[in-house]
Amino acid sequence: MSSSSVLERFRPLFYPESIAVVGASDNPSKLGFQSLAAARSGFRGAVYPVNPGAAGEIQGLSAYRSLADVPGRLDLVVYAVPEPLVAPAVREAAARGARAGVIFAGGFREVGGKGAGRQRELVEIANAAGMQLIGPNCIGVVNTKVKLNATFAAPMSWFPAGSLSVVSQSGGVGSAVATQMADEAVGLSKFVSIGNRANVDFADMLAYLAEDDDTGVVALFVEGIDEGRGFLKAAAACAARKPVVVCSRGHTEKASRTALSHTGSAASSERVYAGALRQAGCVRVGSLEDLVCTAKAMTMAAHLGGNGCFISTHTAGPAIIIAEILERGGVRLPELEPALAAEIAAFIPEHARAGNPLDLFAHAWTDGSLYVRATDIALRQPNIHCAVAVYISSMGAGPAFPLAEYAEVARRHGKPVFLCLIAPGMAMQELAAAQQAGVVTFNTPEKAGHALVGLTRWVQGRRPAGVGA
Amino acid sequence: MSSSSVLERFRPLFYPESIAVVGASDNPSKLGFQSLAAARSGFRGAVYPVNPGAAGEIQGLSAYRSLADVPGRLDLVVYAVPEPLVAPAVREAAARGARAGVIFAGGFREVGGKGAGRQRELVEIANAAGMQLIGPNCIGVVNTKVKLNATFAAPMSWFPAGSLSVVSQSGGVGSAVATQMADEAVGLSKFVSIGNRANVDFADMLAYLAEDDDTGVVALFVEGIDEGRGFLKAAAACAARKPVVVCSRGHTEKASRTALSHTGSAASSERVYAGALRQAGCVRVGSLEDLVCTAKAMTMAAHLGGNGCFISTHTAGPAIIIAEILERGGVRLPELEPALAAEIAAFIPEHARAGNPLDLFAHAWTDGSLYVRATDIALRQPNIHCAVAVYISSMGAGPAFPLAEYAEVARRHGKPVFLCLIAPGMAMQELAAAQQAGVVTFNTPEKAGHALVGLTRWVQGRRPAGVGA
């Protein structure tokens, strides 16, 4: 599929001119209430509540008894109705010329037997009409660029815009990922919960996101793949253009049985996944936390030039944790060149060794400029491509880390810098401020370590071996 | 050492009648300012600022020019002075009859050479005087029971009291652990950063905490062990009485070199640690997050009766993640007995299967009572010893989880219940409320899974094989 055709194919889904919500309601206990509230909470285009029982208005908007009655162009239809009402509504939408749909209801392929038949029926209607269906059994779609919120969670409309796009088979995990993104202060581009994958699967979304200029990094949560070859081909094509991070689950017996009764796909063996994903150029991670943190590092620090890292700290313990994760993940901590080590040795505290990691003792806690001076020198070394600083605010009692100066050093050298800032209940504000300054910030050593390992793997994978090492 | 003698030996450290702060200052950029502020911020006993330049008062307290001038009994001395001033002050303290000390300064064994000699000198003075020295090169000691805060972080004085005691070699990691404990709403009993371990090592703290009635669970962060046999003996003795969770680091080359220049101990191989700790009955975990979360589960759910778990959810994805971690960690998800499955089948949504995990679909999101009813039935099954519920608040848009009713089910059955409550920036308030109700609560599936695995390992380890399984 050509670049323009895949963008065009999904334009009605991600950039609709209008949204109709079937099942829209004034009753807050109904999914149709939440769905309409979400659809209208930020979107600037037309929003049409549709309900057979509608009389006049729903949530203050002109309401319609059927999709056939909706005036003007119809792009995206959100189906906030139970399973028996879905197929008739999809049929109406097809007749009305709608080209995209989001179906929340379960009761399809994931329940087996007749459910699978019901899903096939949807696919036939949609395919005949050239309509893209997300779901069924999903929580929908978000595009922060146009404040599209085709989910049933209105707060998603206020998600900060960014360059990370998320595709999750499970709506629940997608929601968990969004939650962790909010806590990590990482902005969102597109969010897609694809559920049962009626006629839109991972491969389709990967093809679209590869072309989408607003997407810089793609994060996937995968439970099972039906068309393994198509998926891997699309993943490889996407990963050749931008980072693709993958967390896969459902590899044990009970877990896979749950996956089967979930979005209707058999889970595959972990080793098969891991090998194939690596071959496709994707970075595989082991937890949702690592998915979000690695993707965050990729959105902020894709200009990383190689696998050499410099660590400075005022306290050895957390630096040891990071160093261990880095070394095991293939990130090197090069010794400082003698001339640079001598420059550093000239101003660091007595007893400190001008090494890497560099332990500046408590002196750096009271005088943050030590971090800045040391990092400025270390980043001159060609085989050091980034820096990590560890700073503990000791339950908020400590002086502040010299954020602006540290970020300025990064800019001057054109090399990314990371901060492991350990503070209780680190407010999004503090984290966001650090990141706005250009410092990739995490609140645990493990997050920082694993994120940098994932980023480095991607950086190493996309260039000939040896270069930049 | 008898029970009463180890308690007596460390009474001046953990339950001092008075604290003297050597180096106390009115200058907020001095460690002696922070240290005095911490010492007096909650403690009810006498606090004596000591500084050779003192004239009258420091921070509004009567100040003394030397320890010899301090009136009344002297228990604990906090040394907030640089390395050259430490030994003379410790000598004065010994002469004055002080029986415990905390030394923040570095420049001792961790720098090798002469530093090792300086540390030996301290040990000689302390041993001759029967004085217990914490550090040097540490961040001190907290005992929430008497609001003792012998650190340089005043906010530690307001740490909620609880039954978890933490011993960390690294002060920085101890601080990171405390930070995560605050975010996890888990209360603290004793906090000890032992640093260079002059004459108080892990084995001493384990012997003390084993006897300490206010300590229910012990969490250790270990970088290197000098006296492996003594440590393991003390760990085994402590683990026979209460759970001991251990995170060890410093096993790779760079990391171990940093450890060496840190608290002056060579790091050992990971496998040796792991095997020995398991034999000693400790639970070993792989990250600080797992250390805190596993310890939290142990403080709240030590009455767990075996390794069978029931999971209910409104969304399969996160339940799959938990199920996979549990299965890999040896926690079973028994099939429901036919009679109980039939009871559950009678009220769950169409298409739902009365299995374990139990997926209640979006119905349970709008009607939380489904969780309560299903868990109430499942916990009647003898080989099900606990329950986990997964609930996503969809960026805060969802109805509330039925916390009180869920906790009441747990109480009635005498079996612990867990909640994986996924919500953005989950406030301590919300988490604390859930836990006050008796529900062990985590905000990611991975935390919940790993914590339950660790807890189960401990429960399985302390009883004859087969019992309760």
Side-chain angles (χ1 to χ4, degrees):
Chain A
M1 191 176 291
S2 76
S3 146
S4 64
S5 74
V6 72
L7 290 179
E8 184 48 41
R9 181 180 160 203
F10 288 106
R11 190 179 311 276
L13 176 66
F14 289 114
Y15 297 89
E17 288 188 13
S18 61
I19 307 173
V21 178
V22 178
S25 171
D26 270 325
N27 178 349
S29 75
K30 294 277 188 186
L31 195 68
F33 176 90
Q34 315 281 359
S35 306
L36 180 59
R40 60 179 300 204
S41 57
F43 185 65
R44 299 277 178 96
V47 177
Y48 305 115
V50 176
N51 195 314
E57 296 188 339
I58 297 177
Q59 293 185 28
L61 297 175
S62 299
Y64 304 87
R65 286 174 192 272
S66 85
L67 286 169
D69 299 339
V70 170
R73 172 170 163 169
L74 197 54
D75 273 344
L76 172 62
V77 179
V78 173
Y79 302 89
V81 289
E83 171 266 305
L85 304 178
V86 171
V90 171
R91 226 180 279 278
E92 261 188 56
R96 190 60 187 66
R99 283 172 54 211
V102 168
I103 303 172
F104 299 135
F108 293 90
R109 181 175 164 213
E110 84 280 9
V111 300
K114 288 184 177 171
R118 288 191 288 266
Q119 184 161 325
R120 275 194 301 275
E121 187 191 353
L122 297 183
V123 173
E124 280 161 22
I125 305 168
N127 285 350
M131 184 197 287
Q132 311 305 316
L133 283 185
I134 300 294
N137 189 22
C138 78
I139 65 163
V141 172
V142 172
N143 177 8
T144 56
K145 188 73 175 276
V146 295
K147 291 203 177 292
L148 166 71
N149 183 353
T151 74
F152 42 89
M156 285 293 288
S157 299
W158 303 297
F159 211 100
S163 65
L164 176 58
S165 289
V166 177
V167 186
S168 174
Q169 199 158 335
S170 156
V173 171
S175 200
V177 167
T179 297
Q180 293 198 25
M181 284 175 67
D183 288 345
E184 292 291 334
V186 49
L188 178 73
S189 177
K190 315 279 189 296
F191 172 94
V192 192
S193 145
I194 56 176
N196 283 9
R197 295 157 290 146
N199 74 343
V200 176
D201 207 338
F202 279 109
D204 305 289
M205 287 295 95
L206 283 163
Y208 177 81
L209 295 173
E211 298 293 337
D212 176 36
D213 285 339
D214 294 326
T215 296
V217 177
V218 178
L220 307 180
F221 179 78
V222 175
E223 283 158 52
I225 297 292
D226 304 313
E227 296 290 344
R229 210 171 298 171
F231 168 72
L232 289 169
K233 203 177 145 199
C238 189
R241 301 183 58 173
K242 49 191 79 169
V244 178
V245 204
V246 183
C247 179
S248 69
R249 278 291 168 265
H251 304 295
T252 62
E253 190 246 331
K254 279 279 179 175
S256 72
R257 203 190 307 164
T258 309
L260 190 60
S261 78
H262 174 23
T263 50
S265 61
S268 319
S269 106
E270 183 152 17
R271 261 198 307 179
V272 174
Y273 263 129
L277 287 170
R278 198 168 39 241
Q279 282 220 312
C282 301
V283 172
R284 188 164 170 272
V285 296
S287 68
L288 300 187
E289 179 177 295
D290 288 345
L291 184 70
V292 170
C293 292
T294 303
K296 170 163 112 171
M298 287 166 167
T299 64
M300 295 188 65
H303 58 299
L304 179 69
N307 73 338
C309 175
F310 170 71
I311 301 180
S312 59
T313 186
H314 69 81
T315 171
I320 290 171
I321 295 177
I322 296 174
E324 190 163 304
I325 293 169
L326 294 185
E327 289 190 276
R328 287 188 170 156
V331 179
R332 296 174 56 233
L333 299 169
E335 274 304 300
L336 295 173
E337 293 169 1
L340 299 178
E343 281 189 55
I344 289 176
F347 66 84
I348 59 178
E350 201 193 338
H351 306 313
R353 195 181 76 86
N356 181 18
L358 173 67
D359 189 351
L360 295 160
F361 307 150
H363 301 73
W365 190 65
T366 43
D367 177 9
S369 74
L370 295 179
Y371 286 102
V372 178
R373 296 168 70 187
T375 302
D376 198 10
I377 294 166
L379 288 184
R380 279 160 47 202
Q381 187 162 315
N383 68 347
I384 290 181
H385 306 95
C386 65
V388 178
V390 176
Y391 193 82
I392 302 195
S393 81
S394 288
M395 307 299 288
F401 181 83
L403 203 55
E405 296 82 355
Y406 185 61
E408 172 53 29
V409 164
R411 266 190 298 279
R412 210 159 49 234
H413 291 274
K415 295 176 174 180
V417 293
F418 295 74
L419 177 61
C420 174
L421 178 64
I422 298 171
M426 188 164 60
M428 273 204 53
Q429 237 175 329
E430 198 172 342
L431 194 78
Q435 294 185 171
Q436 252 150 27
V439 177
V440 195
T441 306
F442 298 101
N443 64 352
T444 75
E446 284 93 350
K447 285 181 185 175
H450 289 301
L452 185 49
V453 165
L455 171 64
T456 304
R457 282 204 179 133
W458 175 69
V459 163
Q460 296 289 100
R462 73 178 165 170
R463 61 165 61 79
V467 178
Chain B
M1 193 176 291
S2 79
S3 146
S4 64
S5 75
V6 71
L7 291 178
E8 185 48 41
R9 180 180 161 203
F10 289 106
R11 191 180 310 276
L13 176 66
F14 290 113
Y15 297 88
E17 288 188 14
S18 61
I19 307 174
V21 178
V22 177
S25 172
D26 269 325
N27 177 350
S29 75
K30 296 276 188 188
L31 195 70
F33 176 91
Q34 315 281 357
S35 306
L36 180 59
R40 59 180 299 204
S41 58
F43 185 64
R44 299 276 178 97
V47 177
Y48 305 116
V50 176
N51 194 314
E57 296 190 338
I58 297 178
Q59 293 185 29
L61 296 175
S62 299
Y64 303 88
R65 287 174 191 268
S66 84
L67 285 168
D69 299 340
V70 170
R73 172 170 164 169
L74 197 52
D75 273 344
L76 172 62
V77 179
V78 174
Y79 302 89
V81 289
E83 170 266 306
L85 303 179
V86 171
V90 172
R91 226 179 281 276
E92 263 190 53
R96 189 61 188 68
R99 283 172 55 211
V102 169
I103 303 171
F104 299 136
F108 294 88
R109 181 176 165 213
E110 84 281 10
V111 301
K114 287 184 178 170
R118 287 191 288 266
Q119 183 161 326
R120 274 194 301 275
E121 188 192 351
L122 296 183
V123 172
E124 279 161 22
I125 306 168
N127 285 350
M131 184 197 288
Q132 311 304 318
L133 284 185
I134 300 294
N137 190 20
C138 78
I139 65 164
V141 171
V142 172
N143 177 8
T144 56
K145 188 72 175 280
V146 295
K147 293 204 178 292
L148 166 71
N149 182 355
T151 74
F152 42 89
M156 286 293 289
S157 299
W158 302 297
F159 212 102
S163 64
L164 176 58
S165 288
V166 177
V167 185
S168 175
Q169 199 158 334
S170 156
V173 171
S175 201
V177 166
T179 298
Q180 293 198 25
M181 285 175 67
D183 288 346
E184 293 291 334
V186 48
L188 178 73
S189 178
K190 314 281 189 294
F191 172 94
V192 191
S193 145
I194 56 176
N196 284 8
R197 295 156 291 146
N199 74 343
V200 176
D201 206 338
F202 279 108
D204 305 289
M205 288 295 94
L206 283 162
Y208 177 80
L209 296 173
E211 298 295 337
D212 177 36
D213 285 340
D214 293 325
T215 296
V217 177
V218 177
L220 306 181
F221 179 79
V222 175
E223 282 157 52
I225 296 292
D226 304 312
E227 295 291 343
R229 210 171 298 171
F231 169 73
L232 290 168
K233 202 177 146 200
C238 188
R241 301 183 59 174
K242 49 190 80 170
V244 178
V245 205
V246 183
C247 180
S248 70
R249 278 292 167 265
H251 303 296
T252 62
E253 189 246 332
K254 280 277 178 176
S256 72
R257 204 188 309 163
T258 309
L260 189 60
S261 78
H262 176 24
T263 50
S265 60
S268 319
S269 107
E270 183 152 17
R271 260 198 308 180
V272 173
Y273 263 129
L277 287 170
R278 197 169 41 241
Q279 281 219 314
C282 301
V283 172
R284 188 165 169 270
V285 295
S287 67
L288 300 187
E289 178 178 297
D290 289 345
L291 184 70
V292 171
C293 292
T294 302
K296 170 163 112 171
M298 287 166 166
T299 63
M300 295 187 65
H303 58 297
L304 179 68
N307 72 339
C309 176
F310 170 72
I311 301 179
S312 58
T313 186
H314 70 81
T315 171
I320 290 171
I321 295 177
I322 296 174
E324 190 164 303
I325 293 169
L326 294 185
E327 287 189 277
R328 287 189 171 155
V331 179
R332 296 174 56 232
L333 298 169
E335 275 303 299
L336 296 171
E337 292 168 0
L340 299 178
E343 280 189 56
I344 289 176
F347 67 84
I348 60 178
E350 200 192 339
H351 306 312
R353 193 180 77 86
N356 181 19
L358 175 67
D359 189 350
L360 295 160
F361 307 151
H363 300 74
W365 189 65
T366 44
D367 178 8
S369 74
L370 295 179
Y371 286 100
V372 178
R373 295 168 70 186
T375 303
D376 199 11
I377 294 166
L379 288 183
R380 279 159 47 200
Q381 188 163 313
N383 68 347
I384 289 180
H385 307 96
C386 67
V388 178
V390 176
Y391 193 82
I392 301 197
S393 82
S394 289
M395 307 300 287
F401 181 84
L403 203 56
E405 296 83 353
Y406 185 61
E408 172 54 28
V409 165
R411 266 190 298 279
R412 209 159 50 235
H413 291 274
K415 296 177 175 181
V417 293
F418 294 75
L419 177 61
C420 174
L421 177 63
I422 297 171
M426 188 164 61
M428 274 203 52
Q429 237 175 329
E430 196 172 341
L431 194 78
Q435 293 184 172
Q436 251 150 29
V439 177
V440 195
T441 305
F442 298 100
N443 64 353
T444 74
E446 284 94 351
K447 284 181 185 174
H450 290 300
L452 184 48
V453 164
L455 172 64
T456 305
R457 281 204 182 135
W458 174 69
V459 163
Q460 297 289 100
R462 75 179 164 171
R463 60 166 63 78
V467 177

